[in-house]
């Protein structure tokens, strides 16, 4: 009970950390009207990949033939870290640069002209129309802060998005998509694409007059995209007919306005974006729903432990103390077979070894995220931390796999360590590589460059595999885990089982409760991934992860007791699959989410969606399965260590 209180207190601290502060991931920059040694004058804009809620395939900024940054501007680029590259972020310099506190109106950036008689120009125009048709959005960055597009939704609420559309398509009925936010009075042409070739940029800054720093710090950047036919930044919008055959000229312009605002602190400058994300009241409802399930399971387990199990142990030990030998019954009857090695012991040992690796990686990453080190401002830190931890924790998977395999009586230690190193990691890499081939073929920015793939392979073969071998070496040097009872040479016959104690029925039922604890949180995670929204509620995620661990453990222990009481000693694989089946429900939910919540179109996007979902399913399967296995291993060892057997 005390440990649960300590854990709950730590979670509350994590939640407080999540809402109270974040570590921005960079040193604050000060800006002044004139360049000095203490503050800068030039403000540079960076552009990231373009994404769409209707397509899984992101594209690089240059793919749409927008204005490029001229050479010799003095603007330094941003080098992506491993997490950014793996998750498809591509940050480049842009032609947009400003002088601090200098308002500018209708500044011409460049003009793009396309002759429809030219094949290359026609392809560029068609691809631009494709981007508008599928609602692709720009993602710009200023001072490591997303340039937000704020608008009112259909219900009148203010919403700030970290991306803004490149244009708007009006269908034959004269309807536009909600994300367009164009005034219907400004256009009348159906079957027309309207390019947002002008942006009004508003930069709010906090002056340092009453602070211990010189100059000003940027606290908010918003953009308002517009469409103008000429470079005067006024008049009719720039429309391109769906079946356009005329030459196209697109002038790109911008206006920038600086607004002092000392009410917004630099440390809370992301709040206006984060406040637009899903309501935390729903998150608390999810937590309370999960806690009810945990309390119900805890009550069931407590009833078994205190009443049934305690009574069984007392009765078994009383029988042993009597002079007359009585026939054994219940779960004690299978004491000579309960620790018999399972079928395919090597595979079970490997899956549990990698599962422990994933388990530690998840919780260490979540702890760092709760403390603010992996905030959205620290771009790519979450992905980089997860990958590096997974690689470095190969020593744990090697040790655990070898220890379990030796306990199962296995002797092919070379095959075991090779499978631990390559079975799961190789499967995930092959799926990931197949997805990457599709992205390469589509010309997507999410396609991993060749040298990055080489770097990933170097991490795998150069660090993870050697660490796995080192862990396996120490695992094999240890003695096998001692069982409290001896195993009979001849296996006992298992009596016919009822339908609710048969393996398949219990496995299917076992994953329902753990999934019920996490499915609301899964909605926010999937929405964040596939709708390209920020995810920062790591305190809630940490708490849900703890609830998931408790639920998987208690469900596996509960069903394991029922199986043993019905004289079925085959608990090794069943304990793993009972909790691991949660991943199957996750995959089914992901299918439901794809059909009902996403507007993704195209076979390629569907293949990519389910390919990446398969990778997540494998990780969840190993994570939950290992929890159930270890919980049952501890439970079975504990109950058979307190009864007297011959």
């Amino acid at each position: 009970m005390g440990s649960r209180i300590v854990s709950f207190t730590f979670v509350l601290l994590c939640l407080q950390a999540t809402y109270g502060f974040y570590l921005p991931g960079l040193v604050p920059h000060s800006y002044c009207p004139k360049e000095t040694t203490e503050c800068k004058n030039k403000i540079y804009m960076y552009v990231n990949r373009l994404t769409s809620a209707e397509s899984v395939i992101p594209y690089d900024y240059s793919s749409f033939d927008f204005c490029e940054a001229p050479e010799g501007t003095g603007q330094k680029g941003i080098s992506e870290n491993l997490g950014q590259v793996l998750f498809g972020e591509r940050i480049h310099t842009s032609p947009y640069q400003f002088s601090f506190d200098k308002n500018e109106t209708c500044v011409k950036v460049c003009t793009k002209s396309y002759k429809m008689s030219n094949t290359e120009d026609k392809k560029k125009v068609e691809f631009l129309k494709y981007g508008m048709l599928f609602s692709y959005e720009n993602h710009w960055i200023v001072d490591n802060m997303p340039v937000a597009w704020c608008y009112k939704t259909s219900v009148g609420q203010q919403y700030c998005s970290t991306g803004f559309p490149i244009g708007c398509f009006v269908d034959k009925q004269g309807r536009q998509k909600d994300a367009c936010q164009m005034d219907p009075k400004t256009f009348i042409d159906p079957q027309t694409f309207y390019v947002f070739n002008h942006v009004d940029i508003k930069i709010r800054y906090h002056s340092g007059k009453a602070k211990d720093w010189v100059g000003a710090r940027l606290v908010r950047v918003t953009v308002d995209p517009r469409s103008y036919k000429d470079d005067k930044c006024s008049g009719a919008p720039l429309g391109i007919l769906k079946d356009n055959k005329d030459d196209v000229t697109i002038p790109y312009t911008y206006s920038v306005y600086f607004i002092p605002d000392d009410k917004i602190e630099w440390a809370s400058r992301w709040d206006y974006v984060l406040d637009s994300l899903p309501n935390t009241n729903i998150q608390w409802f999810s937590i309370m729903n999960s806690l009810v399930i945990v309390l119900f399971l805890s009550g069931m387990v407590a009833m078994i432990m205190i009443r049934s199990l305690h009574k069984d142990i007392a009765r078994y030990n009383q029988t042993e103390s009597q002079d007359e030998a009585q026939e054994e019954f219940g779960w004690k009857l299978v004491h000579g077979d309960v620790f018999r090695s399972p079928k395919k012991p090597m595979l079970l040992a490997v899956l549990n070894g990698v599962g422990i690796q994933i388990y530690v990686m998840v919780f260490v990453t979540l702890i760092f995220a709760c403390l603010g080190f992996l905030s959205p401002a620290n771009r790519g830190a979450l992905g980089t931390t997860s990958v590096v931890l997974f690689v470095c924790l190969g020593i744990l998977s090697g040790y655990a796999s070898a220890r379990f395999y030796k306990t199962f009586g296995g002797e092919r230690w070379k095959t075991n360590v090779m499978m631990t190193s390559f079975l799961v990691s190789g499967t995930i890499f092959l799926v990931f590589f197949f997805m990457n081939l599709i992205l390469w073929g589509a010309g997507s920015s999410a396609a991993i460059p060749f040298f990055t793939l080489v770097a990933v392979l170097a991490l795998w073969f150069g660090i993870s595999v050697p660490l796995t071998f080192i862990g396996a070496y120490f695992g094999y040097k240890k003695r096998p885990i001692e069982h409290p009872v001896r195993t009979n040479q001849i296996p006992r016959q298992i009596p016919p089982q009822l339908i609710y104690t048969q393996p398949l029925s219990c496995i299917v039922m076992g994953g329902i409760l753990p999934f019920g604890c996490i499915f609301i949180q899964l909605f926010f995670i999937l929405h964040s991934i596939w709708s390209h929204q920020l995810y920062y509620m790591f305190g809630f995620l940490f708490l849900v992860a703890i609830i998931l661990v408790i639920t998987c453990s208690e469900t596996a222990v509960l069903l394991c007791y029922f199986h043993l009481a019905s004289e079925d000693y085959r608990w090794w694989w069943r304990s793993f699959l009972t909790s691991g089946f949660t991943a199957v429900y996750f995959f089914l939910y992901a299918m439901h989410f794809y059909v009902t919540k996403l507007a993704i179109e195209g076979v390629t996007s569907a293949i990519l969606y389910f390919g990446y979902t398969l990778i997540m399913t494998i990780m969840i399967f190993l994570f939950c399965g290992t929890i159930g296995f270890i919980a049952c291993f501890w439970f079975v060892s504990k109950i058979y260590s307190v009864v007297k057997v011959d």
Side-chain angles (χ1 to χ4, degrees), residues 120-227:
E120 290 298 322
D121 286 356
K122 186 176 180 180
K123 286 182 179 180
K124 292 178 181 179
V125 174
E126 291 300 321
F127 193 71
L128 183 62
K129 291 194 290 186
Y130 167 83
M132 289 184 281
L133 182 65
F134 283 88
S135 303
Y136 273 85
E137 295 184 343
N138 279 296
H139 296 276
W140 291 0
I141 304 168
V142 171
D143 194 37
N144 198 48
M145 186 169 47
V147 177
W149 176 44
C150 298
Y151 60 91
K152 287 189 176 181
T153 62
S154 57
V155 295
Q157 294 181 343
Q158 183 80 358
Y159 178 75
C160 292
S161 171
T162 55
F164 64 93
I166 64 176
C168 179
F169 174 66
V170 181
D171 61 19
K172 62 175 64 176
Q173 285 80 26
R175 296 174 301 186
Q176 59 171 321
K177 295 182 179 180
D178 293 338
C180 290
Q181 294 292 312
M182 288 187 67
D183 186 359
K185 299 178 181 178
T186 61
F187 61 88
I188 56 174
D189 300 327
Q191 296 288 85
T192 304
F193 295 90
Y194 291 93
V195 184
F196 291 153
N197 57 332
H198 174 83
V199 287
D200 288 330
I201 303 169
K202 296 179 181 179
I203 303 177
R204 296 180 181 271
Y205 62 89
H206 188 117
S207 61
K209 296 179 181 179
K211 302 292 181 180
D212 56 353
W213 38 269
V214 180
R217 292 179 179 175
L218 308 187
V219 293
R220 180 174 297 182
V221 183
T222 57
V223 63
D224 187 12
R226 301 180 184 275
S227 178

Side-chain angles (χ1 to χ4, degrees), residues 529-549:
I529 294 174
W530 301 113
S531 296
H532 311 288
Q533 300 294 327
L534 296 174
Y535 186 89
Y536 73 104
M537 293 172 285
F538 296 108
F540 285 115
L541 186 59
F542 185 86
L543 185 55
V544 169
I546 292 178
I547 292 174
L548 177 63
V549 170

Side-chain angles (χ1 to χ4, degrees), residues 102-135:
K102 180 181 178 182
N103 296 334
E104 297 179 282
T105 305
C106 198
V107 179
K108 186 176 180 180
V109 182
C110 73
T111 300
K112 294 288 185 177
S113 299
Y114 305 97
K115 295 185 178 296
M116 301 308 289
S117 58
N118 185 290
T119 304
E120 290 298 322
D121 286 356
K122 186 176 180 180
K123 286 182 179 180
K124 292 178 181 179
V125 174
E126 291 300 321
F127 193 71
L128 183 62
K129 291 194 290 186
Y130 167 83
M132 289 184 281
L133 182 65
F134 283 88
S135 303

